[in-house]
Amino acid sequence: MSEVVVALDGGVLTVTMARPDKKNAITNAMYGAMADALERAESDSAIRAVLLQGDGDSFTAGNDLADFAAVSRGVQGERHVGRFLAGLARAPRPLVAAVQGNAVGIGTTMLLHCDLVYLAPTARLITPFVNLALVPEAASTYLLPQRIGYARAYAMFALGEPVEAETAVSIGLANAVVPLADLRTKARAAADALAKRPFGSLQHTKALMRDPVRISAQMAREGEIFQERLMSAEAREAFAAFAERRPPDFSKIAG
């Protein structure tokens, strides 16, 4: 069974992360499938909106740390996360997200590129990049302070404390909290409504509200530093601690 399920119906391309036994932790192959879906949406005129969702009790646990650990050990190979992030930055179609449970790391930062975000009461937005000795991605170091202010954004990144659903709505990170049983129905109804709007007007409106050049530049800058951090002694300690189920100890590693 595919770990990413893509379906087109009524003009809405639904992209479902379907790895619930692993809390939808995103592997390189999953990034590839989701990047393919976003690229398809750019060129297929039958697609009028894209809906992102995750199976199980979590939206996504973020990046699969086994992939991160492999990169930190020097394992090479094509990585698709860059294609996925670029697709988010470019996306001409409206993006809608239905989020339940934890949205960790990229699970939160991808929402900054979505045009409508609906949260279940169980949703928690978590950005533990610093905890893993990494830096944020998806242009979130630009988009998140722009959205909620420097102080809140820094606390989310540096402390990694979860933001609960109601708080996320109150500070402008989501549109509404919806009962879990109604979450997908609500998000799909919003996507259907967008699919019926004049596409040209939606596309231009979205383009006027975003700065794609600035977003792409920030993604590139983050990506370079992120790659460096993956190879750092701090990152190796963070991943080892996670695998060994112990607190990391960065005290003996030079800054």
Side-chain angles (χ1 to χ4, degrees), residues 25-230:
I26 306 174
T27 64
N28 187 51
M30 291 171 69
Y31 275 124
M34 292 192 292
D36 289 344
L38 291 179
E39 290 168 4
R40 174 185 171 189
E42 290 184 49
S43 58
D44 187 344
S45 61
I47 299 171
R48 310 280 292 191
V50 177
L51 173 60
L52 302 172
Q53 60 188 25
D55 283 345
D57 59 9
S58 292
F59 181 61
T60 173
N63 286 279
D64 188 301
L65 291 187
D67 283 2
F68 273 175
V71 173
S72 73
R73 295 193 304 270
V75 175
Q76 300 298 314
E78 183 181 9
R79 298 181 65 223
H80 296 291
V81 62
R83 288 177 52 226
F84 176 64
L85 295 179
L88 289 175
R90 291 193 309 266
R93 269 63 173 173
L95 302 179
V96 181
V99 181
Q100 79 289 351
N102 288 346
V104 181
I106 185 69
T108 289
T109 59
M110 76 169 74
L111 302 180
L112 298 172
H113 297 272
C114 292
D115 304 293
L116 295 174
V117 177
Y118 298 98
L119 307 178
T122 58
R124 300 194 313 159
L125 310 188
I126 311 169
T127 49
F129 301 101
V130 170
N131 293 353
L132 295 170
L134 303 172
V135 295
E137 30 70 328
S140 59
T141 52
Y142 165 64
L143 294 172
L144 190 62
Q146 185 185 57
R147 183 82 64 89
I148 66 174
Y150 179 91
R152 284 195 179 111
Y154 184 83
M156 283 185 68
F157 289 142
L159 300 178
E161 296 175 347
V163 175
E164 306 294 335
E166 292 287 355
T167 300
V169 171
S170 71
I171 63 177
L173 289 176
N175 293 85
V177 177
V178 180
L180 180 59
D182 302 327
L183 178 66
R184 288 194 173 183
T185 301
K186 174 66 174 179
R188 175 62 198 234
D192 284 338
L194 290 170
K196 293 178 173 64
R197 297 295 193 274
F199 171 68
S201 292
L202 285 178
Q203 183 177 20
H204 286 299
T205 297
K206 182 172 180 174
L208 288 166
M209 294 175 70
R210 289 166 61 84
D211 184 346
V213 174
R214 178 73 171 85
I215 289 169
S216 295
Q218 193 74 358
M219 278 188 180
R221 184 182 177 198
E222 290 169 345
E224 291 175 2
I225 299 172
F226 196 101
Q227 186 65 27
E228 292 173 1
R229 295 302 303 160
L230 273 176

